[in-house]
């Protein structure tokens, strides 16, 4: 599937897993789901993903240039490696089960970390951080805002970036490594 027009995904699930590309916008409406399952399908030029529907990235390597990743619905980072070069505001908690890199500052109400949070962008958490496994790395900082809570309970987690805590940080199990 090669797209140089506009795709409006109004309902159901559209999965891109094979070859092809998009050089224009894909809008995922509320109630619809877009799944990216392979880096064999690419976004080029000013292609963008937006909308209030669900976007699930299940595998592959994805680099979203500035201004091209602007969903407002649920976003699931299930696999692969993803780099996002602009701020975005998903609905609900941000769940990271893959490697997710930010090159610009982000603010999220809720983050569940099972994979790797990395990159040069600062990530501010204003509500809850549930750290079940994986690592935080990169030159950016993770900032727990005043009033936020962090819960770390895992067999092993690695902190390889600055963590600024102005909230409540609770560590209850496993091994926490500050590298």
């Amino acid at each position: 599937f090669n797209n140089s027009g506009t795709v409006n995904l109004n309902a159901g699930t559209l999965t891109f897993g094979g070859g092809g590309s998009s050089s224009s916008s894909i809008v995922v409406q509320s109630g619809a789901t877009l799944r990216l399952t392979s880096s064999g399908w690419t976004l080029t030029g000013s292609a963008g993903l937006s909308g209030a529907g669900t976007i699930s990235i299940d595998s592959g390597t994805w680099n979203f240039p500035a201004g091209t990743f602007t969903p407002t619905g649920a976003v699931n980072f299930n696999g692969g490696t993803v780099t996002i070069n602009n701020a975005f505001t998903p609905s609900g908690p941000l769940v990271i089960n893959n490697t997710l890199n930010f090159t610009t500052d982000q603010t999220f109400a809720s983050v569940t970390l099972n994979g790797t949070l990395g990159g040069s962008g600062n990530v501010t958490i204003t509500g809850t951080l549930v750290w079940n496994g994986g690592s935080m790395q990169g030159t950016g900082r993770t900032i727990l805002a005043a009033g936020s809570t962090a819960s770390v309970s895992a067999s092993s987690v690695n902190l390889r970036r600055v963590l600024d805590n102005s909230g409540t940080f609770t560590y209850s199990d496993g091994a926490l490594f500050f590298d």
Side-chain angles (χ1 to χ4, degrees):
F1 179 75
N2 294 309
N3 174 48
S4 60
T6 298
V7 173
N8 289 310
L9 179 56
N10 293 325
T13 300
L14 176 61
T15 301
F16 288 123
S21 66
S22 178
S23 60
S24 192
S25 65
I26 298 175
V27 182
V28 184
Q29 302 295 339
S30 180
T33 299
L34 174 66
R35 292 184 60 228
L36 303 177
T37 63
S38 169
S39 50
W41 188 83
T42 60
L43 296 168
T44 62
S46 62
L49 297 179
S50 64
T54 299
I55 295 175
S56 293
I57 300 176
D58 298 333
S59 63
T61 300
W62 300 91
N63 183 13
F64 295 99
T68 64
F69 192 82
T70 58
T72 57
V75 180
N76 304 307
F77 295 101
N78 297 320
T81 300
V82 179
T83 301
I84 298 174
N85 294 285
N86 58 262
F88 76 103
T89 307
S91 66
L94 182 69
V95 179
I96 303 169
N97 293 316
N98 66 344
T99 298
L100 180 57
N101 297 302
F102 294 111
T103 63
T104 190
D105 295 351
Q106 307 285 329
T107 300
F108 302 113
S110 177
V111 174
T112 299
L113 179 59
N114 302 303
T116 301
L117 170 65
S120 58
N122 295 334
V123 175
T124 300
I125 300 165
T126 60
T128 59
L129 167 64
V130 178
W131 193 357
N132 295 320
S135 65
M136 293 187 198
Q137 61 191 32
T139 58
R141 298 179 303 148
T142 300
I143 302 164
L144 298 173
S148 67
T149 60
S151 170
V152 180
S153 179
S155 59
S156 177
V157 295
N158 292 292
L159 181 63
R160 295 185 178 118
R161 68 188 277 151
V162 172
L163 175 65
D164 288 332
N165 177 37
S166 294
T168 301
F169 186 90
T170 303
Y171 175 74
S172 58
D173 190 21
L176 175 59
F177 297 97
F178 292 95
D179 292 336

